[in-house]
Amino acid sequence: MREFFRRKRRIVLVLVLLIGGGMSIMAYNEKDKYFEIAKNLDIFAAFYRELNTYYVDELPPEKVMRKGIDAMLEETDPYTDFIAEENLDELKFMATGKYGGVGVSVNTDSERTVITDVYEGGPMDKAGVKPGDIILSLDGKDIKGLDQEDISRLLKGAPGSSLDMVTKHPITGDQNNKKIIREEINVKAVSFSGMTSQDIGYIRMTQFTENSGERVQSAFTELKKQYPGMKGLILDLRGNPGGLLDEAVIVANIFVDKNKTIVSTKGKVKSWDREYKTESPAVDAHMPLVVLTNRSSASASEIVAGAIQDLDRGVIIGQRSFGKGLVQTTRPLPYNAKLKVTTAKYYTPSGRCIQAIDYSHRNSDGEVELTADSLRKSFNTVAGRKVRDGGGIEPDNAVDPTLLSQVAITLLRKQYIFDFATQYYYSHPKIAAASTFALSEEDFADFIKYLDGRNYNYKTRSEEALETFQATARKEKYYDAVAKEFEALQVKMKHDKKQDLLKNKTEIKRLLEEEIASRYYMQRGRIEKSLSSDNEVTTAIAVLHSPERYQQLLK
């Protein structure tokens, strides 16, 4: 027995020494790290002082220091950033969705600046400004030659301030002088809510800003009230870049009952680690739910989609999401500047982090890569379904994204679809409801005529691939041997622009109808018109109309 206690004491002593030694090493490492930080700060300050004193030319302090800050930020992720006092409005907009301005979007090139969208109920809308109007000057300044950023800066300003604007009518050429009073523009978190079919509701959410969860809840409650026979809901988070984490929890709480974990955060400062749970009873914890995602659904969108998937509360349809599992916090800096810094990673209820890129590990050239599929770990949903970390939210039912043809991309880029819609608007006083509006064959023929004599040259993807082959073959000295065959293939593949218009008629007609619908019914009309030809929405409706298929996806 004595021998046993002697042995036990020896083991305890070894453990104490090991633990104590480990703590000493940790303490030493921490001390060493802070010494290195202090040392390098001293070197940096001395280096700048000497450089500024003795360098032959003047060095602008703000510019030099900003380059130093930018160089440090290159070692972090794209979301960690320095925000100068003059740029705080951008930070405010990201959090609140509010900015001081006139409520328009513009497109500018070397020839003209055109108003492309007018925010419903905003100052420009109240002043009677229409999409298609051409801006000539702002506050007496000719804007020809200014880039988009400069024009945007002139349009924005403090609520209550005035803007003198001269525009030209796109059809008559008449000039109009307008005095616009800027207001606080609150970009809607819910850009559309309605019914996609007789019994399936639809809500499109564009961002997670202050009170956005409340707005989604109001939209859902109103749909249930107006359509008591509603049998399912589509929550569209495609293209939603995210925003406030708290708002994501509120949105999830609409469909998930009280006291359920939605997301947890873990970072370097352990006292900041937190678990976020639903705080209220769900508005509806049972109605079949589909969440739509794509490659541009990020951050807070992925928190909602991940929680809905992990808790088996609904089905995810579309494409894999972006994969941003990083949490940012703002820290105050002198002179009203801010540091927006990544402080944690977030984890879905199953315990997975869906961050797709590990910015702490870079290649020798400094580049970062997506997490390899072989390194992604598996986790289980509440019902036992397998889900994986490290690469965004994978849909339960994948749908290939809709890709536009080269001719359609060119017509959009050249603004020909936009300009034709402007002409159509001024020659047709009214149209049918957005959901039922359709161009006639005669209308499409008019569009073909409208394009006569207009330059919209482009290369098809096949032609681009052929040119790449030609360049490679020349480089590798094979081209001479296949030159005749190549030239024959080139002739066969040469596209006919008019035939391409007819071949892609359905796609081009859809784009025209959406643009025209937006002229009469604004952004809501564009979305409403697009739903009938939306592959992901059509798939979601089919799943919600089939209880067997819906349940199968949840198993």
Side-chain angles (χ1 to χ4, degrees):
M1 181 70 77
R2 234 180 250 165
E3 183 62 28
F4 169 77
F5 282 113
R6 270 200 297 272
R7 268 196 224 133
K8 188 173 180 183
R9 277 198 298 272
R10 278 200 298 271
I11 292 168
V12 170
L13 181 61
V14 169
L15 286 172
V16 168
L17 288 170
L18 284 172
I19 292 168
M23 288 176 70
S24 298
I25 291 167
M26 285 173 64
Y28 175 76
N29 286 340
E30 283 295 303
K31 187 177 178 182
D32 192 50
K33 183 179 79 171
Y34 287 115
F35 170 74
E36 285 296 316
I37 292 170
K39 181 181 85 171
N40 282 286
L41 282 173
D42 285 345
I43 291 170
F44 183 85
F47 175 85
Y48 177 70
R49 185 172 58 249
E50 296 297 308
L51 183 70
N52 185 62
T53 302
Y54 297 111
Y55 185 70
V56 64
D57 294 322
E58 283 298 315
L59 295 172
E62 185 176 352
K63 187 176 179 181
V64 172
M65 282 300 178
R66 184 58 202 253
K67 283 192 174 181
I69 290 171
D70 288 343
M72 282 189 276
L73 290 172
E74 284 178 11
E75 297 300 312
T76 65
D77 56 58
Y79 316 108
T80 297
D81 200 6
F82 169 77
I83 302 165
E85 181 180 13
E86 60 268 23
N87 295 326
L88 287 179
D89 282 347
E90 294 175 21
L91 189 65
K92 178 187 173 186
F93 175 70
M94 289 168 62
T96 66
K98 298 175 183 177
Y99 69 94
V102 292
V104 291
S105 297
V106 300
N107 179 273
T108 189
D109 55 33
S110 58
E111 296 300 317
R112 61 179 191 168
T113 295
V114 182
I115 291 173
T116 54
D117 274 299
V118 178
Y119 190 76
E120 190 171 0
M124 287 286 197
D125 186 26
K126 292 173 184 174
V129 176
K130 301 290 183 184
D133 286 355
I134 300 163
I135 302 177
L136 299 178
S137 70
L138 295 170
D139 282 335
K141 183 174 183 177
D142 184 352
I143 63 168
K144 190 171 183 179
L146 295 183
D147 62 26
Q148 193 110 349
E149 191 174 330
D150 288 333
I151 292 167
S152 178
R153 197 177 293 114
L154 289 170
L155 290 168
K156 289 178 180 177
S161 62
S162 65
L163 173 71
D164 291 319
M165 181 174 72
V166 179
T167 62
K168 185 171 79 171
H169 194 281
I171 306 301
T172 65
D174 294 342
Q175 290 191 16
N176 292 292
N177 299 304
K178 293 182 181 293
K179 183 179 283 291
I180 313 293
I181 304 301
R182 295 184 181 93
E183 297 177 8
E184 183 175 77
I185 307 299
N186 190 354
V187 178
K188 294 177 182 176
V190 175
S191 58
F192 179 85
S193 64
M195 302 298 287
T196 60
S197 69
Q198 193 174 1
D199 54 4
I200 303 298
Y202 174 91
I203 296 174
R204 178 174 291 187
M205 191 180 182
T206 56
Q207 57 191 351
F208 287 81
T209 48
E210 285 179 1
N211 304 315
S212 56
E214 183 183 323
R215 291 188 177 99
V216 175
Q217 181 170 323
S218 295
F220 181 49
T221 303
E222 189 61 29
L223 283 176
K224 288 186 70 176
K225 181 180 174 182
Q226 287 186 18
Y227 305 96
M230 187 166 67
K231 294 180 179 176
L233 178 75
I234 300 168
L235 177 62
D236 192 347
L237 299 180
R238 292 173 299 175
N240 187 321
L244 301 178
L245 185 149
D246 288 335
E247 295 298 328
V249 178
I250 293 169
V251 171
N253 196 177
I254 297 169
F255 311 104
V256 175
D257 260 329
K258 187 177 181 178
N259 208 32
K260 298 286 185 183
T261 297
I262 299 301
V263 64
S264 55
T265 59
K266 298 174 187 176
K268 183 188 288 186
V269 183
K270 297 304 174 188
S271 60
W272 288 3
D273 290 355
R274 188 175 164 191
E275 193 174 64
Y276 294 81
K277 295 182 178 238
T278 49
E279 296 182 353
S280 307
V283 175
D284 192 321
H286 304 289
M287 179 178 287
L289 173 68
V290 165
V291 178
L292 300 183
T293 61
N294 64 8
R295 292 298 296 173
S296 299
S297 305
S299 187
S301 294
E302 295 173 292
I303 291 176
V304 173
I308 295 299
Q309 188 175 58
D310 284 2
L311 299 173
D312 299 297
R313 173 59 188 89
V315 171
I316 313 300
I317 289 178
Q319 297 92 49
R320 185 194 292 190
S321 64
F322 182 80
K324 180 183 179 292
L326 304 176
V327 182
Q328 282 73 50
T329 305
T330 56
R331 304 289 298 165
L333 296 174
Y335 301 99
N336 295 321
K338 299 279 187 184
L339 168 64
K340 181 164 72 77
V341 57
T342 297
T343 54
K345 294 179 180 178
Y346 70 70
Y347 297 80
T348 66
S350 66
R352 57 180 168 147
C353 177
I354 51 82
Q355 175 62 23
I357 298 174
D358 182 0
Y359 292 100
S360 64
H361 293 88
R362 296 174 182 267
N363 298 334
S364 56
D365 59 1
E367 294 297 311
V368 291
E369 295 179 353
L370 292 171
T371 303
D373 277 351
S374 59
L375 298 177
R376 298 175 66 198
K377 298 174 185 175
S378 290
F379 294 79
N380 293 320
T381 69
V382 169
R385 293 187 297 149
K386 294 288 183 187
V387 288
R388 296 195 295 170
D389 70 355
I393 303 298
E394 292 182 276
D396 303 309
N397 187 348
V399 178
D400 291 333
T402 301
L403 300 176
L404 293 176
S405 63
Q406 287 298 99
V407 61
I409 292 170
T410 304
L411 293 173
L412 287 168
R413 184 171 52 82
K414 291 276 192 177
Q415 293 285 87
Y416 292 146
I417 285 176
F418 179 88
D419 289 341
F420 182 80
T422 300
Q423 289 191 12
Y424 189 95
Y425 173 75
Y426 284 107
S427 59
H428 295 76
K430 61 180 181 178
I431 61 170
S435 59
T436 58
F437 167 68
L439 285 175
S440 66
E441 291 298 317
E442 186 181 337
D443 291 330
F444 190 77
D446 286 342
F447 179 65
I448 301 291
K449 287 178 191 172
Y450 165 80
L451 292 175
D452 281 346
R454 285 180 165 82
N455 173 30
Y456 58 103
N457 292 327
Y458 57 92
K459 292 175 184 176
T460 64
R461 292 185 179 92
S462 299
E463 287 173 320
E464 289 174 350
L466 204 60
E467 284 185 3
T468 303
F469 167 77
Q470 183 185 37
T472 305
R474 285 185 187 280
K475 190 176 181 180
E476 296 180 346
K477 307 288 192 293
Y478 289 121
Y479 181 73
D480 290 344
V482 296
K484 287 183 180 178
E485 291 88 343
F486 177 85
E487 288 166 7
L489 184 59
Q490 203 171 31
V491 169
K492 285 183 180 178
M493 290 179 64
K494 188 173 179 64
H495 70 273
D496 181 312
K497 290 196 295 185
K498 198 156 191 176
Q499 284 304 311
D500 282 354
L501 289 172
L502 297 174
K503 187 164 57 177
N504 296 286
K505 176 181 174 181
T506 301
E507 174 185 79
I508 295 167
K509 192 163 170 281
R510 171 176 61 82
L511 294 171
L512 284 165
E513 288 168 351
E514 289 172 18
E515 185 61 46
I516 291 169
S518 74
R519 301 307 173 89
Y520 298 86
Y521 304 107
M522 309 192 85
Q523 188 63 17
R524 178 183 175 86
R526 187 194 300 275
I527 296 170
E528 192 170 4
K529 181 59 202 168
S530 71
L531 293 179
S532 60
S533 55
D534 189 316
N535 287 342
E536 285 97 327
V537 170
T538 303
T539 302
I541 293 170
V543 167
L544 290 169
H545 277 160
S546 172
E548 297 81 9
R549 173 66 177 151
Y550 182 81
Q551 290 302 324
Q552 185 183 18
L553 289 169
L554 291 174
K555 288 180 182 177

